[in-house]
């Protein structure tokens, strides 16, 4: 097994040289992926990998050193309680979004709640919420055909419906007006001129990442739709850039439709999402 350890050490050094902070973790994950085991069990492999492994490992590590995202090479990512298929054409769900998921699962919603995940991408929030609330009606909305291909795979066998729609469309789905218990969204929100890591710049769809000059363009559509679809007392949760918490709170409050507007931090302590309750219009 010395040769496997040696290959992982060399890969970790190469990835560190390529500027990847999680070099050793990535080198081990890729080795585990190719040997069909878990990262923590690599040392317990009962057979030495053959020549084919080392050729494949060389190629996959070379791809990672060119900053192809680890999750594209593995084909999956963990998000909360679920494992999702991801790859080129869809946004890779991020751990920071798990804070909003955690908030949503703690809310006292009706058993048959109607929940909408706007900008669903791979279906991450929708699938994770479906796992938690199997009796709910959960709808994921996205305008990207490529993203919805992944979402279709990820939601198979779950209680999630998918809709392809641009959420800026005026009058979208009037049948949902005042019927929804929770609108949750992780929309594109990075300000257009912000600099991002090579994995994001070259491999995440730009349409999924950037949200206009101040990062608020799609958040505004989320808030407007929530203001129409939520029932009185219904809940909104929307993720934002760590520089736009104040703008998001202000935008939600200027609509005059929400109360209990609260800013929340992610697991790393950065401002990350805002929640609010729909006022009773009467
Ligand atoms: C940041 S990704 C989030 C994906 C997923 N919610 C997650 O947390 O992993 C944003 C998603 O919004 C979608 N999107 C961007 N603009 C949209 C619009 N106007 N209408 C509907 N979906 C949109 C993109 O296609 C992308 O899948």
């Amino acid at each position: 097994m010395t040769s496997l350890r040696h290959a992982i050490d060399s890969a970790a050094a190469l990835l560190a040289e390529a500027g990847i902070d999680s070099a050793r973790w990535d080198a081990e994950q890729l080795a585990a992926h190719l040997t069909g085991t878990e990262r923590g069990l690599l040392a317990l492999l009962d057979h030495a990998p053959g020549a084919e492994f080392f050729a494949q490992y060389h190629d996959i590590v070379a791809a990672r050193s060119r900053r192809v995202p680890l999750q594209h090479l593995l084909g999956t990512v963990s998000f909360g309680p679920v494992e999702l298929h991801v790859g080129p054409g869809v946004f890779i769900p991020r751990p920071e979004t798990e804070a909003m998921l955690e908030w949503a699962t703690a809310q006292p919603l009706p058993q048959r709640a109607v929940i909408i995940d706007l900008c669903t991408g791979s279906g991450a929030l929708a699938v994770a919420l479906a796992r938690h609330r199997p009796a709910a009606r959960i709808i994921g909305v996205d305008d990207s055909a490529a993203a919805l291909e992944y979402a279709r795979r990820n939601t198979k066998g779950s209680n999630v419906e998918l809709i392809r729609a641009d959420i800026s469309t005026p009058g979208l789905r009037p049948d949902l007006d005042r019927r929804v218990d929770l609108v949750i969204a992780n929309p594109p929100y990075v300000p257009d001129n912000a600099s991002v890591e090579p994995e994001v710049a070259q491999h995440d769809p730009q349409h999924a990442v950037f949200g206009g000059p101040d990062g608020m363009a799609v958040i505004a559509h989320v808030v407007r739709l929530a203001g129409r679809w939520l029932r009185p007392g219904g809940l909104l949760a929307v993720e934002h850039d760590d520089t736009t918490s104040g703008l998001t709170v202000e935008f939600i409050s200027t609509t005059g439709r929400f109360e209990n507007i609260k800013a929340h931090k992610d697991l790393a302590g950065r401002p990350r999402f805002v929640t609010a309750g729909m006022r009773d219009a009467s």
Side-chain angles (χ1 to χ4, degrees), residues 151-168:
R152 235 163 253 127
R153 262 180 98 185
N154 289 325
T155 57
K156 210 167 174 195
S158 77
N159 52 327
V160 177
E161 301 163 37
L162 295 170
I163 298 175
R164 184 172 177 193
D166 178 342
I167 64 162
S168 68

Side-chain angles (χ1 to χ4, degrees), residues 4-261:
L4 175 60
R5 208 167 309 126
H6 178 69
I8 291 174
D9 287 346
S10 306
L14 181 74
L15 298 183
E17 217 172 283
I20 295 168
D21 291 339
S22 54
R24 175 150 295 273
W25 168 272
D26 289 20
E28 290 177 356
Q29 285 285 12
L30 291 170
H33 173 64
L34 290 183
T35 53
T37 188
E38 286 175 28
R39 192 185 65 87
L41 299 179
L42 275 171
L44 303 178
L45 273 186
D46 56 7
H47 59 281
E52 198 187 342
F53 164 84
F54 289 103
Q56 287 175 345
Y57 190 57
H58 174 272
D59 291 351
I60 205 168
V61 169
R64 182 70 190 105
S65 75
R66 295 191 301 273
R67 306 298 292 261
V68 175
L70 178 69
Q71 299 83 349
H72 283 194
L73 298 169
L74 301 176
T76 57
V77 63
S78 296
F79 179 73
V82 294
E83 187 86 358
L84 300 157
H85 298 285
V86 290
V90 73
F91 181 85
I92 300 166
R94 305 294 208 268
E96 47 265 39
T97 304
E98 290 176 343
M100 186 167 68
L101 170 67
E102 214 173 275
W103 174 88
T105 55
Q107 301 312 302
L109 299 179
Q111 212 196 0
R112 296 184 178 277
V114 178
I115 298 175
I116 314 252
D117 173 19
L118 290 175
C119 300
T120 193
S122 63
L125 284 162
V127 181
L129 287 171
R131 181 72 65 88
H132 188 73
R133 298 182 191 275
R137 179 181 179 203
I138 301 182
I139 305 173
V141 184
D142 206 287
D143 64 352
S144 158
L148 287 172
E149 281 292 309
Y150 289 93
R152 235 163 253 127
R153 262 180 98 185
N154 289 325
T155 57
K156 210 167 174 195
S158 77
N159 52 327
V160 177
E161 301 163 37
L162 295 170
I163 298 175
R164 184 172 177 193
D166 178 342
I167 64 162
S168 68
T169 311
L172 186 66
R173 294 293 299 252
D175 56 307
L176 293 170
D177 287 3
R178 293 171 71 83
R179 299 197 159 218
V180 176
D181 298 285
L182 169 66
V183 170
I184 192 164
N186 174 20
Y189 57 63
V190 177
D192 286 348
N193 63 0
S195 69
V196 291
E197 291 289 310
E199 285 85 348
V200 179
Q202 290 158 27
H203 297 280
D204 269 326
Q206 303 300 286
H207 174 68
V209 174
F210 294 103
D214 60 0
M216 293 296 293
V218 188
I219 289 177
H221 295 305
V222 168
V223 174
R224 282 190 206 108
L225 262 186
R228 178 154 66 77
W229 282 348
L230 285 172
R231 63 164 169 82
L235 299 171
L236 164 67
V238 61
E239 189 168 316
H240 54 70
D241 189 70
D242 56 7
T243 61
T244 55
S245 176
L247 278 179
T248 305
V249 167
E250 191 184 317
F251 188 85
I252 294 173
S253 94
T254 52
T255 65
R257 314 211 52 175
F258 295 91
E259 57 192 2
N260 295 329
I261 304 170

